[in-house]
Amino acid sequence: MFGSSPVTIMITSEADTWDIDVSSCLGCGQFVDWDRMPDPEQEARIPQDILSKPPKELKKLAREGYWAASRALRAQVYHQLIQQVACRLVTPDALVYRDVESRLFGKPSMSSHPLPEFLEGCSMPTYCLNLEGVTALKKILICIGNLFPDITYSPILPSLVALLLHYSEDEAQCFENISRLIASNAPHTSYIDQSFLAHQASCMTFGDLANKHCPAAHKLIASTSENVFEVYSEWLSWLFHDLPFSYAIRVFDVYLLEGQKVLYRIALALLKQYRLSVTSAEVEGTDIKADLQAFVQNIAEHVTVDKLLERAFGIRLFSRKEIWLLQMANRKALMERGITMAQSRQSFHLAVDMQNFSSSIVTAQEMRVIWSWIPERFSLFPPLLLFSTSEDGCSLQRFYTCCEGYEPTVLLIKTTEGEVCGAFLSSDWSERKKSGATSGFFGTGECFVFTVRPETEKYEWVFIKKPELAKAMPRSRQRSPSPSPSALLSSSPDGHGTSSNRLAVPTPQRKGRLSPFLAIRHFLLPSKTASMFMSGSQEGIVIGGGGGQALSLDANLLWGHTEHCETFDNLPLCQENFKVQLLEVWGFQNA
């Protein structure tokens, strides 16, 4: 199966800067089926000092597609960038590969070799490799399985090896470079997920980001798919399986310089482009997972690679560290659910059981839509009814007693007019006691309010959609006290006081999985009312503030009020003054 073939061993200079010489990469391309390549790459004259430029300038050049000007340049850049990746002290190199390759494949009697178990169920894209290239791809993957026994699941590896083979002098150099990406140990940075747990956490993180940055696409997917997570679990395959080679290699250019964060950006841009290209009527009744895959495979019909990357880098993501914190929180949630090994996604991501779910306010399908808005690490867990006015009575004190000790929670309200609205509340209601007599606002930027009937709509914290409104706050600054909501329940909804007009986002006191990327952020906000998430007192509860309250309920949980507020920039969630017919609070089993 793996016949040996002569290869040219090239010795690469170890100098910090290299001259670009096409003759130095004569071995590159031996694994490529040139007849299947989309377009021949045009060689261009490259400045001699290109590889000595600072990282910021290299990043700009990669985003603009500069490497595409020369096959030799791309090969040299790839090798140098990967050689600069911080990795574990003992990382297999080209010499190790030659030794292992000779031991495994040097005996003519051994005619077949199984691929590593970590590739079970994974696709094997070949990106226009010739027969020799496909053989090299399999050999490298088998050697990785031998030398990295800790890898248990890594569906992205075959694609990365196949792309690197296009620009490698031989198998050994390709193996050394992929080994360095596997063994990377830079802080808050990863290139390749190497376990089912890490892969699932990445998929959940993408789901969280899609929920925040692609609300229109997310709403479409949630309304047409039974399992939103199953759609998002393919996000890496969109980039390194479904995208045509000319797009995938441009993604790879920036990925080597910027790590996994850039993959999130580009996948989000694909999701946004998909929503622009289809209508709700077109996807109704279709397999949206397959439809998205077909869309990405034919992306050239919709947007150029340059425009796609431009849109990707126009998305304002959180910092690399904050995304890493979110990913760690998702990993923790999976571990708490006992999910560490590969298993059916259906078994643990369909948290809302369509057959057994029962609410007096929403249907199971409506609850699934609400659950799709919730951060992934919480939506793993099935809903648990904590309080219901039909069972527990219209008592605010009973409301607090039943809800304390649970975070987060989902509040559902049905009015006497049949309208349904609610809120996702990130903090335990017991937080209200920490403000003493002056009940202040608490919660985090993961809180949001929503409507279910007659229209389905979600309103997030205003700074998620408009991050430019806030500036980073120096660590030395202390946050001002939150404005008291007690007056909001009994007097003007204005909410304006006389304290400082700059306020830091309230940070929860307790530690845990709560808002890992928003709770740790501190902002200088243009308005003190822009972070009024939730508040409770003996007079009632308030959700959202500033110029009005998104939701307020009286002490008897019978009468409520809704209007636009600065925190969520929402429309009224139902008739402005309403009477409560039913109210429910849902928690998360084992959350």
Side-chain angles (χ1 to χ4, degrees), residues 451-472:
T451 62
V452 177
R453 283 183 238 143
E455 299 293 334
T456 304
E457 195 61 66
K458 171 189 173 191
Y459 300 97
E460 295 183 297
W461 185 33
V462 65
F463 289 104
I464 289 176
K465 293 189 175 180
K466 301 175 182 177
E468 67 277 3
L469 297 179
K471 299 179 181 179

Side-chain angles (χ1 to χ4, degrees), residues 162-180:
L163 291 172
L164 276 174
L165 275 169
H166 274 257
Y167 300 93
S168 296
E169 297 169 359
D170 57 16
E171 294 172 18
Q173 186 191 65
C174 180
F175 172 84
E176 177 173 325
N177 284 336
I178 196 68
S179 293
R180 293 188 68 84

Side-chain angles (χ1 to χ4, degrees), residues 80-87 180-181 183-186 191 256:
Q80 176 166 323
L81 289 177
I82 294 173
Q83 289 299 309
Q84 293 173 352
V85 169
C87 58
R180 293 188 68 84
L181 295 181
S184 167
N185 61 1
Y191 286 95
L256 287 182

